[in-house]
Amino acid sequence: MARARLLWILCVVAGLAMIAAMVAMGQVPHQVACDGNASLRPILRFEWLTSAAQFQQFFGAEPCRSQLALAMDGVDRIDTMAYIPAFTLFQLFAAFAMRANGRLAALFVINAALIAAGCDLLEDHRLFSLSAIARMREAIEPAGLEQLFWFVRVKFGLLALAAIALGRLVGARSGKGWRITSWAMMGSGAVGLAGLVMPQLLAPGIGAAWALLFGVALVRVVRPQAA
């Protein structure tokens, strides 16, 4: 019981660090796509670029081009140093805390979270290179965007599947409240998975699942018997 509560406390701490990193990323100035398209947050549009034409539209012309490239570097720097470690630990601590609820599901979450983190780091490395290309006004190589394509989709796919598995672990506890939370988490994870086709669903889907998990962690810290 004490070990489980400690893991939930660590999960809450990681969740708070994740929220702080998200706020910090939101404060980076000049996060406006140079073509004025606001259908997705700029960093998500950057991740989702698949062609040289999209790259040119996104970064546009100077002075917006250099400002946006620097903004994307700022967001990716926070992502690499804070957000990726935070959201990875957030999932890991939750999976370890609920391991008794389903060892295979917990093992899947652990592996999915670690692989997703690796893909995210590789993605950020590629994004730094692309923003440097934008600042130097060089031609974009299709191969660089192809690498980005797979890093981004594997990352988000695994995070969505991990959210579904975490929801399954939550639902292994008895009680109507846990079952409802479980269904909501799994449904949110499924919405995030649909985001691989409709990117605007990624943040709401995975974000909602993580928000519910954060609530679960808070409850289990306050009420250790619930763990």
Side-chain angles (χ1 to χ4, degrees):
M1 184 73 72
R3 180 176 179 275
R5 186 167 186 264
L6 174 60
L7 287 168
W8 284 120
I9 290 172
L10 292 172
C11 183
V12 169
V13 171
L16 291 172
M18 184 171 64
I19 293 169
M22 290 173 63
V23 171
M25 287 190 286
Q27 297 303 308
V28 175
H30 304 300
Q31 292 189 62
V32 180
C34 294
D35 62 358
N37 187 335
S39 59
L40 289 174
R41 287 188 301 122
I43 188 61
L44 191 55
R45 274 198 67 198
F46 190 19
E47 293 173 342
W48 228 255
L49 296 177
T50 57
S51 70
Q54 290 178 357
F55 182 89
Q56 181 58 44
Q57 288 172 356
F58 179 68
F59 281 105
E62 296 293 355
C64 180
R65 187 181 185 94
S66 293
Q67 291 177 340
L68 180 58
L70 289 172
M72 295 298 93
D73 279 351
V75 172
D76 288 328
R77 198 170 293 114
I78 297 170
D79 189 41
T80 298
M81 295 189 297
Y83 190 57
I84 295 173
F87 77 65
T88 303
L89 289 172
F90 177 68
Q91 296 171 91
L92 293 180
F93 288 135
F96 279 116
M98 296 188 287
R99 188 169 52 178
N101 295 0
R103 293 187 179 276
L104 286 178
L107 183 62
F108 174 80
V109 172
I110 291 166
N111 283 281
L114 291 173
I115 295 170
C119 287
D120 208 353
L121 289 171
L122 290 170
E123 171 199 314
D124 281 350
H125 177 74
R126 191 65 205 139
L127 292 176
F128 282 127
S129 298
L130 292 174
S131 63
I133 290 171
R135 287 197 304 274
M136 292 184 288
R137 307 179 200 178
E138 295 180 355
I140 184 69
E141 293 293 334
L145 292 175
E146 289 172 7
Q147 292 173 4
L148 186 63
F149 179 97
W150 292 111
F151 294 151
V152 170
R153 283 153 182 78
V154 171
K155 175 192 74 173
F156 281 121
L158 288 174
L159 291 177
L161 290 171
I164 294 171
L166 285 163
R168 175 67 184 85
L169 289 169
V170 169
R173 301 298 301 175
S174 60
K176 184 178 180 180
W178 295 124
R179 289 197 298 273
I180 292 173
T181 303
S182 169
W183 296 334
M185 285 183 65
M186 290 191 288
S188 297
V191 170
L193 201 58
L196 295 177
V197 178
M198 300 177 65
Q200 61 268 30
L201 298 178
L202 286 169
I206 296 172
W210 285 356
L212 288 164
L213 181 60
F214 187 72
V216 169
L218 286 174
V219 169
R220 294 189 175 182
V221 167
V222 175
R223 296 173 51 203
Q225 68 276 12

